[in-house]
Amino acid sequence: MLPVFGHSNPDTDAITSALVYARFLTRQGTPARAYRLGDLNFETPFVLAQAGVDAPELLALLPTGTAVALVDHNESGQSLPNLTDLTVTHVVDHHKLGNLNTSQPPYLRFEPVGCTGTILLKLHREANLTVDPVDANLMLSAILSDTLHFRSPTTTQDDRDAVEFLAPIAGVEDVTAYALAMFAAKSDLGDTPADQLLKMDYKAFPFGDQRWGLGVIETTNPAYVFGRQAELLAAMTAAKTQDGLDGVLLSVVDILNETNRMLVPGDAEAAVVQGAFGADTQDNVADLEGRISRKKQIVPALEKYFGA
């Protein structure tokens, strides 16, 4: 049974893509099973409930040499701790190539689209496989989540076409209303501890000889997040020390207004934000305006700044 999983600190795309791709591989003759590498964010349980499926089982480690399939990531720093000891046989992803090394030629499917779910729909159609309502709901939800209902600059026409194709199969008559319900679930942060809020959508990236943690909170209620600014800054400083990082940044993305106000915990981070984005930091907040995509607008700017 081939394990299929997305990145650690999984978002909706990472979870749903693992579920859909595992079913796709099984239908194609390769028995597979979906797993997750971390706790769910607040949006994903809503999505899974709408589709009527359970969350994948949590996976910690696998024996050396185990064959695995990756979705929605391809960097070892965002995967299982012992990924370099495993045999990666499949990768379906929409991110840039990372540091993945394989011992044998794997199946690779990378496309510059807004969501792995869009690629998975293409795989179904290319294989002449019907898409059942459950998988349609999962892929539709992932695309709406990753593209912020087409607000993100990562959105492509392929993503829009995929949503148009999937919505009637999934039984979603009002896509806008469904997307807003997803975003409302994502924004219901309650009394979640600050360290958990930081790590819900969080990845570590190498930039030259440095390593930075970049978190994102996408919400329709940014005022709630900034009401907990002191807690979050403390959690960022702690994560920087505990994880041996050179810096930590947290983007607070207002989904509806398409803005990014970034939390900046210290002078070192403020200098980098000024150099990379030309944004001043005041009271530990930098206004990055419409830069709402970590993949397309934050990481590339930092790579350029550090010469990575």
Side-chain angles (χ1 to χ4, degrees), residues 4-7 13-14 17-18 21-22 24-25 68-74 88-95 100 106-111 113 115-123:
V4 182
F5 49 85
H7 51 79
D13 190 25
S17 292
Y21 195 43
F24 173 85
L25 289 172
V68 298
L70 310 182
V71 292
D72 198 32
H73 76 297
N74 69 96
V88 177
T89 60
H90 300 72
V91 184
V92 181
D93 194 12
H94 66 126
H95 296 91
L100 180 67
Y107 172 85
L108 301 176
R109 181 66 176 262
F110 286 72
E111 290 195 28
V113 293
C115 180
T116 310
T118 300
I119 306 173
L120 292 175
L121 174 60
K122 291 186 180 186
L123 292 179

Side-chain angles (χ1 to χ4, degrees), residues 124-208:
H124 279 78
R125 300 182 77 176
E126 291 164 7
N128 292 317
L129 286 179
T130 57
V131 177
D132 72 20
V134 170
D135 285 345
N137 198 301
L138 293 173
M139 286 185 279
L140 170 71
S141 300
I143 298 167
L144 293 174
S145 177
D146 259 21
T147 67
L148 297 179
H149 192 198
F150 311 140
R151 293 172 173 84
S152 172
T154 61
T155 305
T156 68
Q157 188 59 46
D158 286 353
D159 301 303
R160 296 177 184 274
D161 292 344
V163 166
E164 184 177 357
F165 178 86
L166 291 167
I169 301 174
V172 176
E173 297 180 0
D174 189 333
V175 171
T176 298
Y178 179 64
L180 289 174
M182 287 174 51
F183 299 152
K186 178 184 291 190
S187 302
D188 186 13
L189 303 177
D191 57 356
T192 306
D195 57 344
Q196 187 178 339
L197 286 179
L198 171 65
K199 293 295 184 74
M200 280 196 302
D201 187 355
Y202 178 90
K203 296 180 181 179
F205 293 87
F207 298 123

